[in-house]
């Protein structure tokens, strides 16, 4: 019987927290600097930043204590780019199109309209397409038995991201901006289906930033302080007017 009462009390408290929670949905768009961390390091010799835009849908659920979850669905292009400084106008580019689904914890600081927030959590990315282009780049033909230019990319990638940003609530809407970093050493996998013996590591890396807008379907309610009755002076001693 006591256990049933505790469960009922927990459900009531959870429902009260949900009633005061903020639910927001919206969109965001940004730009990222991408690449692949290859090992041995000699495979990274000519690699330079690959800059690509991305965009997607965002959903944020925060409870009264500013702690919640953030779910996204993003269209993003990742991969890597290389240039040979000894050959003018040389370039190799490998672009991988993903549908990326991050599921992250979301924590905000502050109770007013302007807030700082942090996000952290895993993502899974489903390959939609890929393409390569090469211009005056002889390295593509070097060591074809194990080089990264001919390897098959996995259909699914996963990893962990961490980031932070700023959010400003304007009535039913919120605007925000944030930066993200892919923790490639924490759960990321090799992007190639068959890992050749001489390619020990092939993990995607990312540093990106975005701006967006949210529609607050349900605004966060702040629990009001209860007013308690304070007896007049003298009433505690039995004195009445």
């Amino acid at each position: 019987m006591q256990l049933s009462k505790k469960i009922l009390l927990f459900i009531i408290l959870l429902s009260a927290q949900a009633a005061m929670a903020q639910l927001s949905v919206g969109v965001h768009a940004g730009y990222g600097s991408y690449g692949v961390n290859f090992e041995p390091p000699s495979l990274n010799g000519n690699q330079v930043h690959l800059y690509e835009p991305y965009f997607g849908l965002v959903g944020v659920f925060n409870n009264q204590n500013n702690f919640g979850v953030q779910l996204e669905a993003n269209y993003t292009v990742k991969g890597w780019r290389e240039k040979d400084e000894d050959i003018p106008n040389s370039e190799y580019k490998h672009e991988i199109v993903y549908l990326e689904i991050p599921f992250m914890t979301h924590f905000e600081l502050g109770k007013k309209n302007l807030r700082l927030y942090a996000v952290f959590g895993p993502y899974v990315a489903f390959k939609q397409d890929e393409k390569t282009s090469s211009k005056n780049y002889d390295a593509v033909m070097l060591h074809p038995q194990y080089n990264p230019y001919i390897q098959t990319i996995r259909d699914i990638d996963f990893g962990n991201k961490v980031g932070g940003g700023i959010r400003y609530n304007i009535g039913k809407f919120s605007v925000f901006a944030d930066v993200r970093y892919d923790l490639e050493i924490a759960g990321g996998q090799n992007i190639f289906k068959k890992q050749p013996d001489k390619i020990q590591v092939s993990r995607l890396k990312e540093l990106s930033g975005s701006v967006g807008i949210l529609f607050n379907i349900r605004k966060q309610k702040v629990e009001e302080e209860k007013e308690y009755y304070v007896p007049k002076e003298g009433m505690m001693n039995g004195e009445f007017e």
Side-chain angles (χ1 to χ4, degrees):
M1 188 65 179
Q2 290 294 329
L3 181 60
S4 299
K5 288 183 178 180
K6 289 181 179 179
I7 294 176
L8 180 61
L9 180 60
F10 175 76
I11 293 175
I12 293 173
L13 292 174
L14 189 63
S15 299
Q17 287 289 322
M20 294 184 176
Q22 177 169 292
L23 176 62
S24 306
V25 296
V27 296
H28 71 153
Y31 227 75
S33 172
Y34 302 98
V36 175
N37 180 23
F38 290 117
E39 289 185 12
S42 58
L43 294 175
N44 296 315
N46 293 336
Q47 190 170 163
V48 294
H49 296 289
L50 172 67
Y51 297 104
E52 295 287 350
Y54 70 95
F55 59 90
L57 305 176
V58 184
V60 183
F61 181 85
N62 269 6
N63 65 16
Q64 185 188 3
N65 296 321
N66 287 338
F67 182 82
V69 295
Q70 181 165 324
L71 180 65
E72 300 177 0
N74 299 321
Y75 177 90
T76 179
V77 180
K78 303 182 182 182
W80 77 96
R81 187 167 70 102
E82 300 181 19
K83 299 186 73 172
D84 190 337
E85 295 181 355
D86 296 329
I87 303 177
N89 301 319
S90 66
E91 181 184 70
Y92 173 82
K93 186 186 296 185
H94 195 132
E95 298 170 299
I96 314 166
V97 180
Y98 286 107
L99 173 61
E100 181 188 75
I101 310 294
F103 186 84
M104 301 178 289
T105 58
H106 180 112
F107 179 73
E108 295 185 359
L109 292 175
K111 293 288 185 180
K112 297 183 179 180
N113 290 333
L114 184 62
R115 302 177 183 182
L116 298 176
Y117 69 88
V119 291
F120 171 77
Y123 70 87
V124 59
F126 303 93
K127 186 180 74 172
Q128 305 297 302
D129 193 12
E130 66 176 302
K131 63 179 181 178
T132 61
S133 60
S134 179
K135 180 181 178 182
N136 299 328
Y137 200 74
D138 294 336
V140 176
M141 301 307 297
L142 298 177
H143 309 296
Q145 70 273 22
Y146 64 86
N147 70 38
Y149 311 107
I150 62 172
Q151 305 304 320
T152 303
I153 304 295
R154 292 180 184 270
D155 293 329
I156 299 177
D157 184 56
F158 60 85
N160 289 280
K161 291 186 181 184
V162 62
I166 188 170
R167 171 173 171 170
Y168 187 74
N169 296 324
I170 313 171
K172 292 185 177 182
F173 295 91
S174 300
V175 292
F176 67 92
D178 65 15
V179 293
R180 309 273 180 87
Y181 178 70
D182 191 329
L183 298 172
E184 55 182 292
I185 61 173
Q189 71 166 356
N190 293 312
I191 63 173
F192 297 139
K193 283 186 176 181
K194 294 182 179 180
Q195 199 73 359
D197 293 337
K198 294 189 178 182
I199 299 181
Q200 300 165 4
V201 172
S202 58
R203 292 178 180 150
L204 288 167
K205 55 185 179 180
E206 169 190 347
L207 177 62
S208 60
S210 71
V211 295
I213 185 169
L214 296 169
F215 174 68
N216 300 321
I217 296 177
R218 187 168 58 202
K219 295 181 64 177
Q220 190 176 44
K221 295 182 181 179
V222 179
E223 187 176 8
E224 297 181 356
E225 295 182 0
K226 296 181 180 179
E227 296 182 0
Y228 295 93
Y229 174 72
V230 180
K232 294 182 180 180
E233 186 178 355
M235 292 185 64
M236 297 298 293
N237 299 324
E239 299 177 6
F240 299 92
E241 293 182 355

